[in-house]
Amino acid sequence: MLEARRLQIFSAVAERGSFTAAAEALFMTHSAVSQQMALLERQLGVTLMIRGPRGIELTDSGRILAERSTGLLGTIANIEQEMADLKAQQSYVRLGAFPTAGADLIPRVVRTYQERYPDTKIVLRSAHASDMPANLRDGSIHLGLAWDYDFDPRSVPADIEWIHLADDPLCVLVPVDHPVAGESEVELRELAGESWVVRSHRPPYDEAFTTLCRLAGFEPDIGFATEDYLSAQGLVAAGVGISAAPRLALVALRPDVVAVDIAGPAPRRRIAAVRLLNASHPPAAQQMLDVLRAATTPEETP
């Protein structure tokens, strides 16, 4: 019978591409990882990987096992968490969310969930979308709240389900005395000569703003990069440059900064829930997904 620990080591090797990287991630020695992989191949009777000087390359059998084992390990991790919750006599839902969701969306979701399910404890974890597949597989979260851009869709692993919730349009941030501050909308290309303050992102979106401007027909003059949208507002107010931000990140808009809609089909940040595909999800996680869907559904105008 296959051992879960051996599959975990194999998954680490397959994901990281080498015994050395897997050993570092698992706090094991290189020789211990190599030995376990040799035992796994011997047990299954197939070659799973081809070893080379620069790492490993999965065979067809290895790719199939990698695909199957990620979902299986995630299910095992979730079972372990459920058993721990039962032992503690407490129902939990573990939600991972991108940082800017904490300004408005997460508080609304938490309040609604607690009103509906007061006996279930919510465990929140700040996490970037690129980290969520690993968080879901190891059971540290049941559900994740992630985003991507419509003009540059995110690549999603085969074992992860991406559930679209809402579109969050980008807008332009300008000082109150800027020529377009009184406009209801502005063409992005009209701002080609401006200096820009951009929010820095982790890959794959470290060049997202440049991509957006190139699609609009110009190369942006990026004068400053900052870590969050609040500091970007401060720099805009100080005249360092103008900026762009999604609407959900502008709950606390400074009085000396104006948000102007981008004309036409505005570029959008797409909000999604992520979870393990074809896995057993605890009832509390499905309840949280229902609350997220309700919180991100626009109210109909009478």
Side-chain angles (χ1 to χ4, degrees):
M1 182 177 293
L2 288 172
E3 297 180 5
R5 177 58 176 169
R6 197 166 287 166
L7 282 179
Q8 184 183 43
I9 297 169
F10 169 75
S11 292
V13 172
E15 182 175 353
R16 290 165 175 81
S18 75
F19 289 173
T20 301
E24 291 176 355
L26 298 172
F27 302 100
M28 297 174 64
T29 64
H30 182 284
S31 61
V33 170
S34 178
Q35 181 184 40
Q36 288 299 313
M37 293 303 91
L39 288 172
L40 180 61
E41 288 182 320
R42 190 180 311 159
Q43 179 183 11
L44 294 175
V46 295
T47 300
L48 298 172
M49 59 194 74
I50 299 172
R51 295 140 178 91
R54 296 185 179 181
I56 63 97
E57 180 181 348
L58 295 179
T59 63
D60 290 342
S61 297
R63 282 189 287 272
I64 291 173
L65 182 61
E67 180 182 335
R68 300 288 190 271
S69 60
T70 49
L72 177 60
L73 290 169
T75 299
I76 292 173
N78 283 323
I79 290 173
E80 291 174 341
Q81 287 285 3
E82 286 186 58
M83 294 302 102
D85 294 347
L86 289 172
K87 183 178 179 180
Q89 297 184 333
Q90 174 72 59
S91 178
Y92 290 88
V93 59
R94 296 177 173 83
L95 176 65
F98 57 91
T100 54
D104 175 60
L105 179 56
I106 289 300
R108 289 191 286 114
V109 166
V110 169
R111 182 168 58 251
T112 301
Y113 191 92
Q114 289 179 331
E115 289 172 354
R116 294 185 185 178
Y117 311 104
D119 295 331
T120 301
K121 183 177 179 180
I122 302 173
V123 178
L124 290 174
R125 177 171 181 169
S126 179
H128 292 274
S130 56
D131 298 327
M132 285 184 186
N135 296 153
L136 289 165
R137 292 168 191 148
D138 66 20
S140 56
I141 62 173
H142 295 124
L143 196 67
L145 195 61
W147 61 270
D148 72 351
Y149 286 122
D150 61 348
F151 57 87
D152 190 8
R154 189 182 293 274
S155 176
V156 182
D159 63 321
I160 300 299
E161 182 180 9
W162 182 275
I163 306 166
H164 180 263
L165 296 175
D167 289 328
D168 186 15
L170 299 181
C171 57
V172 176
L173 304 181
V174 298
V176 290
D177 58 353
H178 192 279
V180 305
E183 302 294 329
S184 60
E185 60 181 25
V186 62
E187 293 279 352
L188 194 60
R189 64 175 175 270
E190 293 178 21
L191 304 171
E194 298 278 355
S195 178
W196 291 88
V197 175
V198 301
R199 186 191 186 285
S200 57
H201 288 300
R202 294 170 56 175
Y205 292 129
D206 47 332
E207 298 290 333
F209 182 74
T210 298
T211 300
L212 171 62
C213 293
R214 286 173 179 168
L215 290 172
F218 68 95
E219 195 74 19
D221 174 16
I222 298 176
F224 200 92
T226 184
E227 291 295 321
D228 57 71
Y229 291 115
L230 190 59
S231 62
Q233 287 189 48
L235 292 167
V236 169
V240 175
I242 65 173
S243 188
R247 282 287 177 183
L248 274 178
L250 300 177
V251 177
L253 185 64
R254 292 175 57 114
D256 48 2
V257 172
V258 177
V260 182
D261 290 336
I262 298 175
R268 296 173 182 273
R269 184 175 68 165
R270 302 184 296 190
I271 311 300
V274 292
R275 64 182 181 180
L276 287 177
L277 186 65
N278 299 325
S280 175
H281 305 290
Q286 183 59 50
Q287 292 163 353
M288 176 58 76
L289 179 57
D290 293 340
V291 171
L292 284 168
R293 281 179 167 141
T296 52
T297 300
E299 296 183 2
E300 294 184 4
T301 302

